[in-house]
Short mmCIF file of all heavy atoms in Angstrom, two decimals:
data_model
loop_
_atom_site.label_atom_id
_atom_site.label_comp_id
_atom_site.label_asym_id
_atom_site.label_seq_id
_atom_site.Cartn_x
_atom_site.Cartn_y
_atom_site.Cartn_z
N MET A 1 -8.51 4.19 12.86
CA MET A 1 -7.11 4.65 12.44
C MET A 1 -6.17 4.59 13.62
O MET A 1 -6.33 5.25 14.66
CB MET A 1 -7.16 5.97 11.88
CG MET A 1 -7.75 7.14 12.64
SD MET A 1 -7.71 8.72 11.77
CE MET A 1 -9.07 8.41 10.59
N PRO A 2 -5.20 3.64 13.56
CA PRO A 2 -4.37 3.54 14.77
C PRO A 2 -3.35 4.70 14.90
O PRO A 2 -3.06 5.41 14.01
CB PRO A 2 -3.56 2.16 14.37
CG PRO A 2 -3.61 2.15 12.90
CD PRO A 2 -4.99 2.82 12.56
N LEU A 3 -2.96 4.80 16.12
CA LEU A 3 -1.93 5.69 16.43
C LEU A 3 -0.53 5.18 16.25
O LEU A 3 -0.31 4.09 16.82
CB LEU A 3 -2.12 6.42 17.76
CG LEU A 3 -3.31 7.37 17.91
CD1 LEU A 3 -3.40 7.86 19.39
CD2 LEU A 3 -3.17 8.63 17.02
N ILE A 4 0.44 5.92 15.65
CA ILE A 4 1.79 5.56 15.58
C ILE A 4 2.71 6.56 16.12
O ILE A 4 2.29 7.68 16.41
CB ILE A 4 2.18 5.16 14.13
CG1 ILE A 4 1.93 6.34 13.27
CG2 ILE A 4 1.30 3.97 13.59
CD1 ILE A 4 2.55 6.36 11.89
N LYS A 5 3.90 6.14 16.48
CA LYS A 5 4.89 7.18 16.86
C LYS A 5 5.59 8.03 15.70
O LYS A 5 6.03 7.22 14.70
CB LYS A 5 5.98 6.50 17.76
CG LYS A 5 5.40 5.79 19.07
CD LYS A 5 5.05 6.87 20.03
CE LYS A 5 4.72 6.21 21.39
NZ LYS A 5 4.23 7.19 22.31
N CYS A 6 5.53 9.21 15.75
CA CYS A 6 6.25 10.03 14.76
C CYS A 6 7.73 9.61 14.87
O CYS A 6 8.35 9.64 15.81
CB CYS A 6 6.03 11.49 14.91
SG CYS A 6 7.15 12.58 13.92
N PRO A 7 8.26 9.14 13.60
CA PRO A 7 9.69 8.85 13.62
C PRO A 7 10.67 10.04 13.91
O PRO A 7 11.87 9.84 14.19
CB PRO A 7 9.92 8.34 12.13
CG PRO A 7 8.81 8.96 11.38
CD PRO A 7 7.65 9.20 12.26
N ALA A 8 10.27 11.20 13.77
CA ALA A 8 11.09 12.42 14.00
C ALA A 8 11.00 12.92 15.46
O ALA A 8 11.99 13.08 16.11
CB ALA A 8 10.67 13.48 13.08
N CYS A 9 9.73 13.09 16.00
CA CYS A 9 9.61 13.59 17.29
C CYS A 9 9.00 12.69 18.32
O CYS A 9 8.76 13.00 19.57
CB CYS A 9 8.72 14.95 17.22
SG CYS A 9 6.98 14.64 16.69
N ASN A 10 8.57 11.46 17.80
CA ASN A 10 8.13 10.45 18.75
C ASN A 10 6.76 10.77 19.40
O ASN A 10 6.44 10.05 20.48
CB ASN A 10 9.26 10.06 19.83
CG ASN A 10 9.24 8.66 20.21
OD1 ASN A 10 8.97 7.69 19.27
ND2 ASN A 10 9.59 8.27 21.40
N LYS A 11 6.05 11.59 18.83
CA LYS A 11 4.75 11.86 19.46
C LYS A 11 3.75 10.95 18.71
O LYS A 11 3.88 10.48 17.66
CB LYS A 11 4.29 13.36 19.27
CG LYS A 11 5.14 14.25 20.19
CD LYS A 11 4.70 15.70 20.05
CE LYS A 11 5.44 16.65 21.01
NZ LYS A 11 5.16 18.01 20.77
N ASP A 12 2.57 10.78 19.37
CA ASP A 12 1.58 9.95 18.79
C ASP A 12 0.81 10.72 17.63
O ASP A 12 0.46 11.76 17.70
CB ASP A 12 0.48 9.72 19.82
CG ASP A 12 0.92 8.61 20.83
OD1 ASP A 12 1.76 7.80 20.47
OD2 ASP A 12 0.43 8.74 22.00
N VAL A 13 0.79 9.96 16.49
CA VAL A 13 0.19 10.58 15.22
C VAL A 13 -0.60 9.60 14.63
O VAL A 13 -0.33 8.33 14.69
CB VAL A 13 1.30 11.04 14.24
CG1 VAL A 13 0.84 11.73 13.03
CG2 VAL A 13 2.52 11.80 14.91
N SER A 14 -1.81 9.96 14.14
CA SER A 14 -2.63 8.91 13.28
C SER A 14 -1.89 8.51 12.11
O SER A 14 -1.21 9.37 11.32
CB SER A 14 -3.87 9.77 12.86
OG SER A 14 -4.57 8.94 11.91
N SER A 15 -1.97 7.27 11.92
CA SER A 15 -1.35 6.64 10.77
C SER A 15 -1.94 7.10 9.42
O SER A 15 -1.33 6.90 8.37
CB SER A 15 -1.41 5.14 10.87
OG SER A 15 -2.70 4.61 10.73
N GLU A 16 -3.17 7.56 9.57
CA GLU A 16 -3.82 8.20 8.44
C GLU A 16 -3.41 9.62 8.01
O GLU A 16 -3.73 10.03 6.94
CB GLU A 16 -5.42 8.17 8.53
CG GLU A 16 -5.86 6.79 8.80
CD GLU A 16 -5.79 5.84 7.64
OE1 GLU A 16 -6.09 6.36 6.60
OE2 GLU A 16 -5.31 4.68 7.88
N ALA A 17 -2.74 10.23 8.97
CA ALA A 17 -2.28 11.65 8.73
C ALA A 17 -1.15 11.63 7.64
O ALA A 17 -0.29 10.86 7.77
CB ALA A 17 -1.77 12.24 10.05
N PRO A 18 -1.24 12.65 6.83
CA PRO A 18 -0.15 12.85 5.79
C PRO A 18 1.18 13.31 6.38
O PRO A 18 2.12 12.88 5.83
CB PRO A 18 -0.71 13.83 4.76
CG PRO A 18 -1.70 14.57 5.60
CD PRO A 18 -2.25 13.61 6.57
N ALA A 19 1.10 13.96 7.47
CA ALA A 19 2.36 14.42 8.11
C ALA A 19 2.11 14.67 9.52
O ALA A 19 0.94 14.80 10.00
CB ALA A 19 2.73 15.76 7.43
N CYS A 20 3.11 14.57 10.36
CA CYS A 20 3.01 14.83 11.71
C CYS A 20 2.60 16.27 11.96
O CYS A 20 3.16 17.15 11.61
CB CYS A 20 4.45 14.64 12.42
SG CYS A 20 4.52 15.06 14.16
N PRO A 21 1.44 16.46 12.87
CA PRO A 21 1.12 17.82 13.12
C PRO A 21 1.91 18.62 14.08
O PRO A 21 1.89 19.91 14.13
CB PRO A 21 -0.31 17.67 13.81
CG PRO A 21 -0.20 16.23 14.39
CD PRO A 21 0.64 15.44 13.55
N SER A 22 2.93 17.88 14.68
CA SER A 22 3.71 18.63 15.60
C SER A 22 5.03 19.16 14.88
O SER A 22 5.47 20.14 15.12
CB SER A 22 4.18 17.63 16.70
OG SER A 22 3.06 17.23 17.46
N CYS A 23 5.61 18.27 14.04
CA CYS A 23 6.96 18.59 13.35
C CYS A 23 6.83 18.57 11.88
O CYS A 23 7.87 19.05 11.28
CB CYS A 23 7.98 17.78 13.83
SG CYS A 23 7.87 16.11 13.25
N GLY A 24 5.72 18.16 11.29
CA GLY A 24 5.68 18.16 9.87
C GLY A 24 6.36 17.01 9.20
O GLY A 24 6.29 17.00 7.93
N GLN A 25 6.75 15.99 9.94
CA GLN A 25 7.46 14.82 9.26
C GLN A 25 6.33 14.08 8.59
O GLN A 25 5.20 13.72 9.01
CB GLN A 25 7.95 13.84 10.43
CG GLN A 25 8.33 12.59 9.93
CD GLN A 25 9.69 12.59 9.28
OE1 GLN A 25 10.39 13.48 9.39
NE2 GLN A 25 9.97 11.50 8.67
N PRO A 26 6.60 13.80 7.30
CA PRO A 26 5.71 13.00 6.39
C PRO A 26 5.49 11.67 7.11
O PRO A 26 6.44 10.93 7.47
CB PRO A 26 6.45 12.87 5.07
CG PRO A 26 7.27 14.01 5.06
CD PRO A 26 7.86 14.22 6.43
N ILE A 27 4.13 11.22 7.25
CA ILE A 27 3.81 10.08 7.98
C ILE A 27 3.53 8.92 6.95
O ILE A 27 4.05 7.87 6.94
CB ILE A 27 2.65 10.23 8.94
CG1 ILE A 27 3.17 11.30 10.05
CG2 ILE A 27 2.39 8.94 9.64
CD1 ILE A 27 4.28 10.79 10.88
N LYS A 28 2.57 9.25 6.20
CA LYS A 28 1.91 8.20 5.32
C LYS A 28 2.88 7.69 4.29
O LYS A 28 3.04 6.42 4.11
CB LYS A 28 0.70 8.69 4.64
CG LYS A 28 -0.37 7.70 4.26
CD LYS A 28 -1.65 8.33 3.79
CE LYS A 28 -2.60 7.22 3.43
NZ LYS A 28 -3.02 6.42 4.50
N SER A 29 3.84 8.71 3.72
CA SER A 29 4.66 8.10 2.74
C SER A 29 5.90 7.37 3.31
O SER A 29 6.42 6.58 2.72
CB SER A 29 5.18 9.33 2.00
OG SER A 29 5.78 10.29 2.85
N SER A 30 6.21 7.75 4.67
CA SER A 30 7.35 7.08 5.20
C SER A 30 7.01 5.68 5.99
O SER A 30 7.84 4.85 6.01
CB SER A 30 8.02 7.97 6.29
OG SER A 30 7.04 8.34 7.28
N ILE A 31 5.73 5.63 6.31
CA ILE A 31 5.29 4.40 6.99
C ILE A 31 4.58 3.46 6.11
O ILE A 31 4.96 2.26 5.99
CB ILE A 31 4.36 4.73 8.25
CG1 ILE A 31 5.09 5.67 9.18
CG2 ILE A 31 3.95 3.47 8.92
CD1 ILE A 31 6.42 5.18 9.83
N GLU A 32 3.67 3.87 5.41
CA GLU A 32 2.92 3.03 4.42
C GLU A 32 3.38 3.27 3.10
O GLU A 32 2.89 3.87 2.16
CB GLU A 32 1.35 3.28 4.62
CG GLU A 32 0.90 3.15 5.93
CD GLU A 32 -0.65 3.37 5.99
OE1 GLU A 32 -1.42 2.69 5.37
OE2 GLU A 32 -1.06 4.26 6.74
N LYS A 33 4.43 2.54 2.76
CA LYS A 33 5.07 2.67 1.40
C LYS A 33 4.18 1.95 0.44
O LYS A 33 3.72 0.91 0.64
CB LYS A 33 6.51 2.06 1.38
CG LYS A 33 7.49 2.63 2.40
CD LYS A 33 8.84 2.14 2.13
CE LYS A 33 9.73 2.38 3.20
NZ LYS A 33 9.44 1.63 4.43
N GLY A 34 3.72 2.62 -0.73
CA GLY A 34 3.12 2.03 -1.79
C GLY A 34 1.72 2.10 -1.62
O GLY A 34 1.04 1.62 -2.62
N THR A 35 1.01 2.45 -0.57
CA THR A 35 -0.49 2.35 -0.50
C THR A 35 -1.06 3.42 -1.52
O THR A 35 -2.22 3.28 -1.90
CB THR A 35 -1.06 2.74 0.86
OG1 THR A 35 -0.43 3.86 1.23
CG2 THR A 35 -0.68 1.54 1.86
N GLY A 36 -0.28 4.37 -2.00
CA GLY A 36 -0.77 5.35 -2.90
C GLY A 36 -0.67 4.90 -4.36
O GLY A 36 -1.07 5.68 -5.30
N GLY A 37 -0.25 3.79 -4.64
CA GLY A 37 0.10 3.27 -5.90
C GLY A 37 1.42 2.89 -6.35
O GLY A 37 1.66 2.15 -7.16
N ALA A 38 2.42 3.61 -5.54
CA ALA A 38 3.83 3.29 -5.85
C ALA A 38 4.20 1.96 -5.28
O ALA A 38 3.96 1.61 -4.24
CB ALA A 38 4.73 4.26 -5.26
N ILE A 39 4.89 1.02 -6.07
CA ILE A 39 5.30 -0.21 -5.64
C ILE A 39 6.66 -0.19 -5.14
O ILE A 39 7.67 0.31 -5.93
CB ILE A 39 5.13 -1.18 -6.75
CG1 ILE A 39 3.66 -1.24 -7.34
CG2 ILE A 39 5.57 -2.62 -6.36
CD1 ILE A 39 3.51 -2.06 -8.59
N ASN A 40 6.85 -0.77 -4.02
CA ASN A 40 8.24 -0.93 -3.48
C ASN A 40 8.71 -2.37 -3.68
O ASN A 40 8.23 -3.13 -3.03
CB ASN A 40 8.25 -0.46 -1.95
CG ASN A 40 9.59 -0.69 -1.28
OD1 ASN A 40 10.52 -0.92 -2.08
ND2 ASN A 40 9.66 -0.40 -0.09
N PRO A 41 9.52 -2.63 -4.52
CA PRO A 41 10.00 -4.02 -4.74
C PRO A 41 10.72 -4.68 -3.61
O PRO A 41 10.80 -5.84 -3.64
CB PRO A 41 10.96 -3.93 -6.03
CG PRO A 41 11.47 -2.41 -5.95
CD PRO A 41 10.25 -1.67 -5.39
N ARG A 42 11.12 -3.87 -2.59
CA ARG A 42 11.71 -4.50 -1.48
C ARG A 42 10.73 -4.95 -0.37
O ARG A 42 11.12 -5.55 0.56
CB ARG A 42 12.68 -3.43 -0.83
CG ARG A 42 13.93 -3.27 -1.59
CD ARG A 42 14.80 -2.22 -0.94
NE ARG A 42 14.20 -0.89 -0.83
CZ ARG A 42 14.62 0.15 -0.14
NH1 ARG A 42 15.78 0.06 0.45
NH2 ARG A 42 13.97 1.27 -0.09
N ASP A 43 9.46 -4.70 -0.74
CA ASP A 43 8.41 -5.30 0.13
C ASP A 43 7.78 -6.46 -0.47
O ASP A 43 6.88 -6.33 -1.29
CB ASP A 43 7.40 -4.11 0.30
CG ASP A 43 6.31 -4.43 1.35
OD1 ASP A 43 6.21 -5.63 1.77
OD2 ASP A 43 5.46 -3.55 1.68
N PRO A 44 8.14 -7.66 -0.05
CA PRO A 44 7.81 -8.86 -0.73
C PRO A 44 6.29 -9.14 -0.67
O PRO A 44 5.74 -9.64 -1.51
CB PRO A 44 8.60 -9.94 -0.22
CG PRO A 44 9.15 -9.42 1.17
CD PRO A 44 9.13 -8.00 1.02
N ILE A 45 5.82 -8.90 0.50
CA ILE A 45 4.36 -9.12 0.67
C ILE A 45 3.43 -8.35 -0.10
O ILE A 45 2.57 -8.67 -0.81
CB ILE A 45 3.97 -9.03 2.30
CG1 ILE A 45 4.77 -10.02 3.05
CG2 ILE A 45 2.47 -9.13 2.47
CD1 ILE A 45 4.52 -9.95 4.56
N HIS A 46 3.87 -7.01 -0.23
CA HIS A 46 3.07 -6.08 -0.94
C HIS A 46 3.20 -6.30 -2.43
O HIS A 46 2.35 -6.46 -3.16
CB HIS A 46 3.56 -4.64 -0.70
CG HIS A 46 2.65 -3.49 -1.29
ND1 HIS A 46 1.86 -2.94 -0.52
CD2 HIS A 46 2.67 -3.09 -2.52
CE1 HIS A 46 1.15 -2.03 -1.28
NE2 HIS A 46 1.54 -2.21 -2.58
N PHE A 47 4.50 -6.69 -2.86
CA PHE A 47 4.66 -7.06 -4.23
C PHE A 47 3.89 -8.33 -4.60
O PHE A 47 3.22 -8.51 -5.70
CB PHE A 47 6.21 -7.42 -4.38
CG PHE A 47 6.54 -7.69 -5.82
CD1 PHE A 47 6.57 -6.76 -6.79
CD2 PHE A 47 6.96 -9.05 -6.19
CE1 PHE A 47 6.90 -6.91 -8.09
CE2 PHE A 47 7.31 -9.26 -7.53
CZ PHE A 47 7.20 -8.27 -8.45
N LEU A 48 3.89 -9.33 -3.64
CA LEU A 48 3.11 -10.60 -3.87
C LEU A 48 1.56 -10.21 -4.21
O LEU A 48 0.94 -10.83 -4.97
CB LEU A 48 3.19 -11.55 -2.76
CG LEU A 48 2.75 -12.95 -3.13
CD1 LEU A 48 3.58 -13.58 -4.16
CD2 LEU A 48 2.92 -13.76 -1.84
N GLY A 49 1.09 -9.27 -3.29
CA GLY A 49 -0.32 -8.93 -3.49
C GLY A 49 -0.62 -8.33 -4.84
O GLY A 49 -1.58 -8.52 -5.41
N ILE A 50 0.31 -7.41 -5.27
CA ILE A 50 0.22 -6.86 -6.70
C ILE A 50 0.11 -7.98 -7.80
O ILE A 50 -0.69 -7.94 -8.62
CB ILE A 50 1.25 -5.88 -7.05
CG1 ILE A 50 1.16 -4.72 -5.93
CG2 ILE A 50 1.19 -5.33 -8.41
CD1 ILE A 50 0.01 -3.79 -6.15
N VAL A 51 1.04 -8.98 -7.48
CA VAL A 51 1.20 -10.01 -8.56
C VAL A 51 -0.13 -10.79 -8.66
O VAL A 51 -0.66 -11.24 -9.73
CB VAL A 51 2.38 -10.97 -8.26
CG1 VAL A 51 2.32 -12.16 -9.16
CG2 VAL A 51 3.70 -10.21 -8.47
N VAL A 52 -0.60 -11.01 -7.43
CA VAL A 52 -1.97 -11.78 -7.29
C VAL A 52 -3.11 -11.01 -7.91
O VAL A 52 -3.87 -11.67 -8.69
CB VAL A 52 -2.23 -12.16 -5.75
CG1 VAL A 52 -3.67 -12.78 -5.60
CG2 VAL A 52 -1.31 -13.13 -5.24
N VAL A 53 -3.14 -9.79 -7.73
CA VAL A 53 -4.22 -9.06 -8.25
C VAL A 53 -4.08 -9.02 -9.78
O VAL A 53 -5.06 -9.18 -10.57
CB VAL A 53 -4.11 -7.54 -7.78
CG1 VAL A 53 -5.01 -6.66 -8.70
CG2 VAL A 53 -4.50 -7.39 -6.40
N ILE A 54 -2.86 -8.95 -10.35
CA ILE A 54 -2.74 -9.02 -11.86
C ILE A 54 -3.14 -10.31 -12.31
O ILE A 54 -3.76 -10.46 -13.41
CB ILE A 54 -1.22 -8.77 -12.15
CG1 ILE A 54 -0.84 -7.30 -11.82
CG2 ILE A 54 -0.85 -9.07 -13.59
CD1 ILE A 54 0.66 -6.97 -11.95
N ILE A 55 -2.73 -11.41 -11.64
CA ILE A 55 -3.21 -12.76 -12.15
C ILE A 55 -4.62 -12.87 -12.13
O ILE A 55 -5.30 -13.46 -13.02
CB ILE A 55 -2.42 -13.84 -11.20
CG1 ILE A 55 -1.02 -13.94 -11.30
CG2 ILE A 55 -3.15 -15.19 -11.46
CD1 ILE A 55 -0.30 -14.82 -10.40
N ILE A 56 -5.35 -12.35 -11.03
CA ILE A 56 -6.90 -12.49 -11.04
C ILE A 56 -7.40 -11.62 -12.13
O ILE A 56 -8.31 -12.04 -12.95
CB ILE A 56 -7.34 -11.80 -9.77
CG1 ILE A 56 -6.94 -12.85 -8.63
CG2 ILE A 56 -8.82 -11.64 -9.74
CD1 ILE A 56 -7.31 -12.33 -7.18
N ILE A 57 -6.89 -10.43 -12.48
CA ILE A 57 -7.33 -9.61 -13.69
C ILE A 57 -7.25 -10.36 -14.92
O ILE A 57 -8.12 -10.40 -15.71
CB ILE A 57 -6.77 -8.18 -13.68
CG1 ILE A 57 -7.07 -7.38 -12.41
CG2 ILE A 57 -7.06 -7.44 -14.98
CD1 ILE A 57 -6.18 -6.14 -12.14
N VAL A 58 -6.03 -10.96 -15.15
CA VAL A 58 -5.76 -11.68 -16.41
C VAL A 58 -6.73 -12.86 -16.56
O VAL A 58 -7.24 -13.15 -17.58
CB VAL A 58 -4.31 -12.18 -16.49
CG1 VAL A 58 -4.14 -13.27 -17.68
CG2 VAL A 58 -3.30 -10.94 -16.58
N ALA A 59 -6.98 -13.59 -15.42
CA ALA A 59 -7.82 -14.70 -15.35
C ALA A 59 -9.33 -14.18 -15.75
O ALA A 59 -9.97 -14.94 -16.55
CB ALA A 59 -7.87 -15.34 -14.06
N VAL A 60 -9.65 -13.02 -15.23
CA VAL A 60 -11.02 -12.54 -15.52
C VAL A 60 -11.16 -12.21 -17.04
O VAL A 60 -12.09 -12.53 -17.74
CB VAL A 60 -11.39 -11.38 -14.66
CG1 VAL A 60 -12.64 -10.65 -15.04
CG2 VAL A 60 -11.57 -11.83 -13.20
N VAL A 61 -10.09 -11.58 -17.61
CA VAL A 61 -10.16 -11.24 -18.90
C VAL A 61 -10.12 -12.42 -19.84
O VAL A 61 -10.91 -12.34 -20.80
CB VAL A 61 -8.79 -10.30 -19.20
CG1 VAL A 61 -8.69 -10.03 -20.74
CG2 VAL A 61 -8.96 -9.00 -18.59
N VAL A 62 -9.25 -13.40 -19.52
CA VAL A 62 -9.44 -14.65 -20.24
C VAL A 62 -10.85 -15.40 -20.25
O VAL A 62 -11.27 -15.81 -21.22
CB VAL A 62 -8.21 -15.57 -19.71
CG1 VAL A 62 -8.44 -17.00 -20.47
CG2 VAL A 62 -6.95 -15.08 -20.13
N TYR A 63 -11.34 -15.34 -19.01
CA TYR A 63 -12.72 -15.87 -18.88
C TYR A 63 -13.69 -15.19 -19.79
O TYR A 63 -14.56 -15.84 -20.43
CB TYR A 63 -13.09 -15.77 -17.34
CG TYR A 63 -14.53 -16.39 -17.14
CD1 TYR A 63 -14.77 -17.71 -17.01
CD2 TYR A 63 -15.55 -15.42 -16.94
CE1 TYR A 63 -16.06 -18.28 -16.76
CE2 TYR A 63 -16.79 -15.95 -16.71
CZ TYR A 63 -17.12 -17.20 -16.60
OH TYR A 63 -18.26 -17.70 -16.43
N ILE A 64 -13.61 -13.81 -19.66
CA ILE A 64 -14.57 -13.10 -20.47
C ILE A 64 -14.34 -13.30 -21.98
O ILE A 64 -15.30 -13.38 -22.82
CB ILE A 64 -14.53 -11.53 -20.22
CG1 ILE A 64 -14.99 -11.33 -18.78
CG2 ILE A 64 -15.27 -10.71 -21.08
CD1 ILE A 64 -14.71 -9.89 -18.16
N ALA A 65 -13.07 -13.32 -22.43
CA ALA A 65 -12.79 -13.65 -23.86
C ALA A 65 -13.23 -14.96 -24.24
O ALA A 65 -13.89 -15.18 -25.32
CB ALA A 65 -11.27 -13.57 -24.06
N ASN A 66 -13.24 -15.97 -23.43
CA ASN A 66 -13.72 -17.31 -23.72
C ASN A 66 -15.23 -17.33 -23.67
O ASN A 66 -15.88 -18.00 -24.62
CB ASN A 66 -13.19 -18.43 -22.60
CG ASN A 66 -11.66 -18.68 -22.81
OD1 ASN A 66 -11.15 -18.52 -24.03
ND2 ASN A 66 -11.02 -19.14 -21.86
N ALA A 67 -15.83 -16.68 -22.94
CA ALA A 67 -17.29 -16.46 -22.76
C ALA A 67 -17.92 -15.86 -24.04
O ALA A 67 -19.10 -16.22 -24.39
CB ALA A 67 -17.69 -15.79 -21.52
N LEU A 68 -17.15 -15.00 -24.73
CA LEU A 68 -17.64 -14.24 -25.81
C LEU A 68 -17.61 -15.08 -27.07
O LEU A 68 -18.28 -14.81 -28.00
CB LEU A 68 -16.79 -12.97 -25.96
CG LEU A 68 -17.12 -11.94 -25.01
CD1 LEU A 68 -16.21 -10.76 -25.27
CD2 LEU A 68 -18.65 -11.47 -25.00
N ASN A 69 -16.71 -16.14 -27.00
CA ASN A 69 -16.57 -17.02 -28.23
C ASN A 69 -17.67 -18.02 -28.41
O ASN A 69 -18.31 -18.57 -27.65
CB ASN A 69 -15.24 -17.67 -28.20
CG ASN A 69 -14.11 -16.73 -28.51
OD1 ASN A 69 -14.42 -15.74 -29.27
ND2 ASN A 69 -12.89 -16.87 -28.13
ZN1 ZN B 101 6.56 14.62 14.60
#
């Protein structure tokens, strides 16, 4: 788990930490937007990843549906 700088107090904080242990600044929600399931439409790479996953799921469902016929 890499160390990042707290945006509030500028101390080293684990990027896996939910909040800065020094000042309580939320870390995971402010740095890693969307990893918890929330989609940020302003993040094109993350959004593209979600679209690719959906396409793969649809392809698998279609493949299974065809296999059953
Ligand atoms: Zn801090």
Side-chain angles (χ1 to χ4, degrees):
M1 52 182 74
L3 289 176
I4 59 173
K5 294 290 185 184
C6 171
C9 67
N10 214 34
K11 289 183 178 176
D12 288 331
V13 185
S14 168
S15 64
E16 298 295 313
C20 173
S22 297
C23 68
Q25 169 77 15
I27 300 297
K28 208 168 179 64
S29 60
S30 61
I31 302 299
E32 298 182 58
K33 304 185 190 76
T35 50
I39 300 171
N40 181 1
R42 289 179 298 175
D43 185 346
I45 296 176
H46 193 99
F47 183 74
L48 193 63
I50 298 293
V51 171
V52 168
V53 169
I54 292 173
I55 290 173
I56 292 173
I57 292 173
V58 170
V60 169
V61 169
V62 170
Y63 176 81
I64 292 173
N66 286 335
L68 291 176
N69 285 333

